[in-house]
């Protein structure tokens, strides 16, 4: 008999709780072991069962069987790694009780399913109301048949709630949630059903109400939390986003409704914070693409970063008119998605955490490239982009130094660009890291400078080598009516000079802009006028041409 069953851990977990039943299945033999408590409570024949999925099916409520079967068959056929559903199961006394059943598969070295282990939580009698807000728990949604009812559901949440908790602490977070739920209750109709969805998200099921009414409600809630006065007198301003779905038009099952609400909410949070977005075909398509994108990216990473490539865009010396370096810009082509722009796939990587590995890959490639070019082309400054999330990775510095040792790069030829500067909320830590990196000889640049208020704020804390002036100020400099951009750039450059920092001006798209910017006190220029980002061989071609051109 498989030794997964003869495990003291199994015994320990099995007796850990009265409401939770555990099971483990050897998928090669289809024999499973169930905890004693589950045998007793559900009246099973023995602790060991053969073909348990179909034995258990007999215990599942006939109305829930199709859903249960679909999910569990996915696991046993090797298509899915996780089982996760809620259904009614018959106990020894013949009563049906709600259970939440979750399990996951452990795979064999050859990729076949080996062990399936999980737990079943009894939901009866408990969890009806959320203890903090008094709203119903989502478990209570099971009472509603969305196919035969009509109305609109909203999933509404506080923007950046985690950050608020980070700034003000858990107690204030809880107090805000109570206040937020109170406003929802006050502004909604009494017949609407209110659920705490988890964290800062609340679900409103408005039977008989249309999208317009819910939009009006959403706007009222938004206005009411614009300035929330706390018991200690502090005033906190909240912004809220929501996803909305009409039932049964857009969803006629509980799962479908929740899914679509989540997709719409995600869309609202990502693209137009502070608004209510109703489910549409466009959202469905976007969500589907995002799912494929993630899978595709994970596959690429698993296959040794296949599909990832660095492109290079020259930095041209404002005085020398020669290529003095380049920025490494990431490109990616997946197996399925072949047309993704950096803005899209880098965002996806950041959302699920894949940026960590990819970021280290970029770092290694950039360093190797600098070393290879140094031998052939002399001194070139090579920059690569690092987001705040990457910088804060505990192993960032260690990995960087390991690559320096491995490839023997001189750090003074590497520029590290900090992107998305506006999201920085621990400048002291970042400042210390920048100082250490600069101490080791690296150059550090603040990217997209001028786009966010925080950029200026950051200069108070951070010491850098370059400031990169964002291309939106630069691109249209040569066109009439852009005097203000002149003033902004001149002042930014003046500030750089006074602080002793170099400057890189991005977005030089034509000769007129190149001339205008060339007159200013700039260190390096970058833009389509000199070259778009290009692959390695094309960049080397540019370097060769540059070397053959006589000095101006
Ligand atoms: P960024 O760092 O601001 O990069 C400059 C972007 O401006 C590049 O877009 C580049 O192609 C574009 N650009 C350059 N010259 C011009 C011009 O004259 N006119 C216009 N309109 N655009 C110009 P790209 O390559 O699509 O990259 C977009 C963003 O993706 C980058 O913005 C950067 O934030 C991010 N990114 C790219 N590679 C990496 C990476 O390896 N790691 C991280 N974390 N982010 C990266
Ligand atoms: Ca950059």
């Amino acid at each position: 008999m498989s030794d997964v069953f003869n495990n003291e851990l199994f015994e320990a977990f099995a007796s850990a709780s009265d409401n939770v039943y555990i099971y483990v299945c050897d998928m090669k033999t289809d024999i499973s072991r169930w905890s004693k408590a589950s045998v007793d409570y559900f009246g099973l024949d023995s602790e060991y069962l053969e073909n348990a999925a179909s034995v258990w099916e007999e215990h599942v409520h006939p109305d829930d069987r199709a859903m249960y079967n679909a999910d569990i068959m996915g696991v046993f056929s090797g298509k899915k790694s996780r089982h996760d559903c809620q259904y009614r199961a018959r106990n020894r006394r013949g009563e049906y009780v709600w259970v939440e059943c979750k399990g996951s598969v452990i795979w064999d070295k050859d990729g076949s399913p080996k062990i399936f282990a999980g737990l079943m939580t009894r939901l009866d009698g408990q969890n009806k109301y959320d203890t903090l807000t008094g709203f119903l728990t989502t478990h209570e949604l099971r009472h509603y048949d969305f196919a035969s009812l009509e109305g609109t559901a909203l999933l509404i949440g506080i923007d950046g709630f985690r950050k608020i908790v980070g700034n003000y602490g858990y107690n204030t977070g809880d107090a805000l949630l109570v206040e937020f739920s109170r406003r929802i209750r006050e502004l909604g109709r009494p017949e609407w059903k209110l659920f705490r969805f988890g964290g800062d998200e609340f679900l409103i099921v408005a039977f008989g109400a249309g999208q317009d009414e819910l939009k009006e409600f959403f706007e009222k809630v938004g206005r009411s939390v614009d300035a929330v006065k706390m018991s200690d007198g502090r005033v906190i301003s909240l912004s809220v986003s929501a996803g909305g779905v009409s039932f049964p038009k857009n969803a006629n099952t509980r799962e479908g409704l929740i899914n679509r609400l989540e997709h719409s909410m995600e869309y609202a949070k990502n693209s137009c914070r502070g608004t209510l977005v109703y489910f549409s075909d466009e959202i469905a398509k976007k969500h589907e693409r995002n799912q494929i994108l993630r899978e595709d990216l994970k596959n690429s990473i698993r296959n040794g970063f296949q599909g990832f490539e660095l492109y290079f865009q020259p930095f041209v010396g404002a005085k020398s008119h020669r290529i003095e370096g380049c920025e490494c810009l990431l490109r990616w082509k997946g197996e399925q998605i072949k047309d993704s722009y950096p803005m899209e796939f880098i965002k996806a990587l950041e959302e699920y955490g894949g940026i960590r590995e990819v970021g280290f890959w970029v770092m290694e490639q950039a360093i190797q490239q600098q070393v290879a070019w140094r031998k052939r082309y002399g001194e070139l400054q090579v920059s690569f982009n690092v987001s705040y999330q990457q910088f804060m990775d505990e192993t960032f510095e260690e990995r960087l130094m390991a690559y320096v040792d491995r490839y023997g790069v001189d750090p003074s030829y590497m520029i590290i660009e900090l992107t998305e500067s506006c999201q920085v909320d621990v400048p002291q830590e970042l400042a210390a890291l920048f100082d250490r990196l600069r101490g080791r000889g690296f150059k550090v640049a603040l990217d997209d400078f001028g786009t966010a208020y925080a950029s200026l704020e950051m200069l108070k804390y951070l010491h850098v080598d370059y400031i990169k002036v964002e291309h939106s100020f630069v691109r249209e400099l040569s066109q009439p009516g852009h005097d203000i951009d002149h003033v902004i750039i001149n002042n930014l450059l003046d500030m750089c000079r006074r602080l002793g920092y170099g400057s890189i001006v991005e977005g030089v798209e034509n000769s007129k802009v190149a001339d205008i910017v060339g007159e200013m006190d700039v260190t390096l220029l970058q833009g389509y006028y000199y070259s778009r980002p290009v692959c390695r061989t094309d960049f080397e071609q540019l370097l060769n041409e540059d070397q053959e051109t006589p000095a101006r």
Side-chain angles (χ1 to χ4, degrees):
M1 188 163 291
S2 170
D3 56 5
V4 294
F5 299 144
N6 303 325
N7 192 328
E8 285 172 0
L9 267 180
F10 184 93
E11 308 280 354
F13 278 125
S15 55
S17 161
D18 288 336
N19 287 318
V20 179
Y21 306 102
I22 72 160
Y23 57 86
V24 57
C25 172
D26 180 335
M27 294 178 84
K28 305 276 183 213
T29 58
D30 202 3
I31 294 176
S32 55
R33 181 177 176 186
W34 293 59
S35 65
K36 279 202 190 68
S38 56
V39 175
D40 289 340
Y41 183 75
F42 292 108
L44 301 174
D45 286 340
S46 106
E47 262 182 85
Y48 293 94
L49 297 176
E50 211 177 326
N51 192 6
S54 60
V55 172
W56 183 248
E57 189 191 340
E58 292 297 315
H59 284 258
V60 177
H61 192 287
D63 290 349
D64 300 340
R65 269 183 205 161
M67 178 193 62
Y68 162 78
N69 274 331
D71 204 78
I72 200 76
M73 288 338 276
V75 170
F76 276 83
S77 62
K79 283 195 200 115
K80 286 176 56 159
S81 318
R82 292 192 63 78
H83 170 53
D84 186 353
C85 55
Q86 284 187 6
Y87 52 79
R88 285 158 288 181
R90 197 182 61 242
N91 66 15
R92 182 184 286 282
R93 292 201 296 271
E95 306 157 332
Y96 280 104
V97 291
W98 277 93
V99 292
E100 179 184 70
C101 192
K102 292 188 176 209
S104 57
V105 176
I106 298 170
W107 301 86
D108 225 336
K109 284 193 198 80
D110 64 7
S112 60
K114 185 180 169 197
I115 294 165
F116 175 55
L119 45 88
M120 202 153 19
T121 311
R122 236 169 66 203
L123 300 172
D124 55 315
Q126 41 163 346
N127 295 339
K128 190 167 159 65
Y129 293 102
D130 171 50
T131 45
L132 183 68
T133 60
F135 277 23
L136 293 161
T137 59
T138 42
H139 177 56
E140 294 302 302
L141 271 173
R142 70 186 191 277
H143 299 302
Y144 304 99
D145 171 15
F146 291 97
S148 61
L149 293 163
E150 205 176 320
T152 307
L154 282 198
L155 182 62
I156 184 167
I158 301 174
D159 295 330
F161 186 69
R162 283 234 306 265
K163 206 167 169 180
I164 296 176
V165 173
N167 288 344
Y168 297 100
Y170 280 100
N171 290 342
T172 306
D174 276 357
L176 278 173
L177 290 176
V178 171
E179 194 52 34
F180 185 43
S181 60
R182 198 173 63 79
R183 310 276 163 111
I184 292 177
R185 204 190 288 277
E186 264 171 24
L187 295 167
R189 285 169 179 260
E191 67 270 24
W192 292 357
K193 296 285 172 201
L194 309 174
F195 302 84
R196 169 101 184 265
F197 198 72
D200 61 288
E201 293 178 358
F202 297 89
L203 173 65
I204 296 127
V205 180
F207 298 108
Q211 294 198 347
D212 290 347
E213 184 176 353
L214 268 288
K215 186 158 174 36
E216 211 173 291
F217 161 77
F218 169 79
E219 282 163 2
K220 274 194 216 153
V221 172
R223 282 196 296 274
S224 82
V225 293
D226 195 31
V228 182
K229 196 157 182 207
M230 308 304 292
S231 56
D232 60 4
R234 256 184 316 189
V235 176
I236 299 177
S237 167
L238 302 179
S239 117
V240 292
S241 300
V245 171
S246 300
F247 53 88
K249 192 174 144 227
N250 294 135
N252 58 12
T253 63
R254 190 164 36 116
E255 290 73 24
L257 184 77
I258 290 175
N259 251 323
R260 294 185 159 188
L261 280 167
E262 282 179 327
H263 300 168
S264 312
M265 168 88 140
E266 186 186 309
Y267 188 86
K269 290 221 168 194
N270 283 338
S271 48
C272 24
R273 260 182 172 211
T275 58
L276 157 63
V277 173
Y278 279 113
F279 182 79
S280 65
D281 288 346
E282 191 197 333
I283 289 178
K285 273 197 204 114
K286 224 178 155 99
H287 182 78
E288 197 187 342
R289 180 173 165 101
N290 226 3
Q291 299 283 95
I292 302 172
L293 188 70
R294 269 190 194 199
E295 279 315 303
D296 223 0
L297 282 164
K298 285 183 186 167
N299 259 330
S300 284
I301 296 172
R302 240 179 271 131
N303 294 331
F305 300 93
Q306 196 181 38
F308 285 99
E309 188 183 358
L310 284 191
Y311 265 41
F312 309 94
Q313 188 178 31
F315 293 148
V316 173
K319 294 202 175 69
S320 68
H321 303 283
R322 293 198 166 272
I323 298 180
E324 295 189 7
C326 67
E327 175 173 3
C328 300
L329 291 158
L330 191 58
R331 297 292 179 263
W332 172 75
K333 209 178 256 183
E335 275 291 303
Q336 298 181 68
I337 294 195
K338 308 209 181 278
D339 60 350
S340 185
Y341 289 106
M343 291 301 196
E344 184 190 40
F345 71 78
I346 289 173
K347 189 159 168 251
L349 284 170
E350 288 195 329
E351 276 167 8
Y352 91 86
I355 191 68
R356 184 175 182 271
E357 283 175 86
V358 176
F360 287 134
W361 181 84
V362 170
M363 177 193 274
E364 185 175 13
Q365 300 295 311
I367 287 176
Q368 274 181 294
Q369 201 53 77
Q370 203 291 331
V371 174
W373 282 333
R374 177 122 204 244
K375 291 180 191 140
R376 283 158 57 194
Y377 299 100
E379 299 173 356
L380 278 182
Q381 300 271 336
V382 175
S383 87
F384 61 98
N385 291 281
V386 177
S387 65
Y388 175 63
Q389 187 189 338
Q390 295 173 259
F391 261 121
M392 286 295 117
D393 187 300
E394 281 172 4
T395 60
F396 178 84
E397 213 175 338
E398 195 183 306
R399 288 284 279 266
L400 183 63
M401 292 321 291
Y403 293 140
V404 169
D405 287 345
R406 187 178 308 166
Y407 300 108
V409 76
D410 176 346
S412 65
Y413 293 110
M414 300 302 305
I415 305 175
I416 309 178
E417 298 190 14
L418 170 68
T419 64
E420 41 142 327
S421 41
C422 53
Q423 284 174 21
V424 174
D425 49 19
V426 273
Q428 285 84 353
E429 250 179 80
L430 193 65
L433 175 60
F434 274 22
D435 288 346
R436 286 199 302 277
L437 294 173
R438 297 181 75 226
R440 294 183 192 271
F442 286 98
K443 303 236 163 70
V444 177
L446 275 190
D447 210 353
D448 302 332
F449 198 77
T451 47
Y453 161 73
S455 301
L456 271 181
E457 170 84 6
M458 277 168 58
L459 280 188
K460 281 209 304 213
Y461 302 96
L462 304 175
H463 299 117
V464 300
D465 298 278
Y466 290 105
I467 280 172
K468 293 194 76 173
V469 179
E470 226 272 323
H471 47 65
S472 59
F473 293 119
V474 183
R475 286 203 314 255
E476 286 149 13
L477 265 186
S478 61
Q479 290 171 20
H482 284 270
D483 297 349
I484 188 90
D485 288 339
H486 264 270
V487 176
I488 294 175
I489 296 178
N490 265 320
N491 276 296
L492 282 177
L493 295 175
D494 190 42
M495 189 172 68
C496 285
R497 204 168 28 83
R498 284 167 197 250
L499 291 168
Y501 300 157
S503 54
I504 305 175
V505 171
E506 295 181 315
V508 180
E509 288 188 351
N510 54 53
S511 61
K512 276 192 188 156
V513 174
D515 289 345
I516 295 171
V517 181
E519 303 271 295
M520 300 174 176
D521 193 5
V522 183
T523 321
L524 296 167
L525 301 164
Q526 180 183 3
Y528 293 170
Y529 174 59
Y530 305 103
S531 166
R532 288 185 174 254
V534 290
C535 67
R536 186 176 57 82
T537 43
D538 289 355
F539 184 67
E540 288 174 356
Q541 179 68 27
L542 287 177
L543 288 173
N544 290 331
E545 286 164 13
D546 192 61
Q547 291 203 330
E548 283 157 17
T549 320
R552 275 220 241 166

